[in-house]
Amino acid sequence: MAQPVLVQVSSLLRPDALVAARGLWRVPGPPRLLHVDVAALPDSALPWLWDVAEEFGRDADLTVLSSADVLARHGAVAPLRAARRLRALGRGAVLLACGPAVSILICDDPDSRPRADGPADILIGLPFTPTLPNLQAALGFSGVPWDASGWLDLAEKAAAA
């Protein structure tokens, strides 16, 4: 299995880094892991970097963001709302880290049927938040899951590593 490509939004402030990341992101094959780590960045950069996060999120297999990232960008908006918006823009899953011991995994609805009552995804509450290196390793070892149970298994492997 190919080593997953990891892009951290905070590293894309430099134009050369953004160009390099876009080039790596377009290479077919390896899983794509996006870390939306904008909470500690200057307020003036947040709107532009959030746009970049949405751009990369469209093709990410897994997007990781924290409640602090959502708060920094959107203020008092419910973090789950912003996470679901990122999930709806792309094709992959989203992991919303609510703290070191709690996270929410948002992925495809396992029955894959359109739902009239809301978003066509499923929320899985996790009593842990796997680290980024462990998620990257799990994606490299297991590949990209196809369904909710696969994503849950990947998150559990990453937390156990």
Side-chain angles (χ1 to χ4, degrees):
M1 182 65 53
Q3 177 69 19
V5 175
L6 168 63
V7 169
Q8 293 187 261
V9 174
S10 64
S11 68
L12 302 179
L13 284 170
R14 293 182 21 208
D16 59 331
L18 179 58
V19 169
R22 282 180 173 148
L24 281 173
W25 210 247
R26 290 186 183 115
V27 173
R32 292 166 182 85
L33 177 58
L34 176 65
H35 185 209
V36 183
D37 56 336
V38 297
L41 297 175
D43 290 344
S44 60
L46 290 179
W48 176 77
L49 284 174
W50 196 266
D51 288 346
V52 170
E54 289 180 352
E55 171 193 336
F56 279 83
R58 286 182 182 92
D59 292 322
D61 294 303
L62 178 61
T63 299
V64 178
L65 77 154
S66 70
S67 298
D69 297 322
V70 175
L71 181 64
R73 171 60 180 107
H74 295 291
V77 170
L80 189 54
R81 183 176 176 190
R84 274 194 140 144
R85 183 181 188 295
L86 278 177
R87 168 66 183 89
L89 288 173
R91 59 180 174 81
V94 170
L95 181 70
L96 174 63
C98 303
V102 177
S103 54
I104 299 170
L105 183 63
I106 308 167
C107 54
D108 284 337
D109 192 346
D111 62 15
S112 300
R113 293 182 304 191
R115 294 176 12 191
D117 62 337
D121 59 28
I122 187 167
L123 304 177
I124 302 171
L126 304 174
F128 55 82
T129 297
T131 65
L132 212 55
N134 290 357
L135 285 168
Q136 189 175 12
L139 276 170
F141 180 75
S142 303
V144 179
W146 291 98
D147 57 13
S149 62
W151 280 111
L152 179 58
D153 185 50
L154 183 132
E156 288 174 346
K157 285 179 184 172

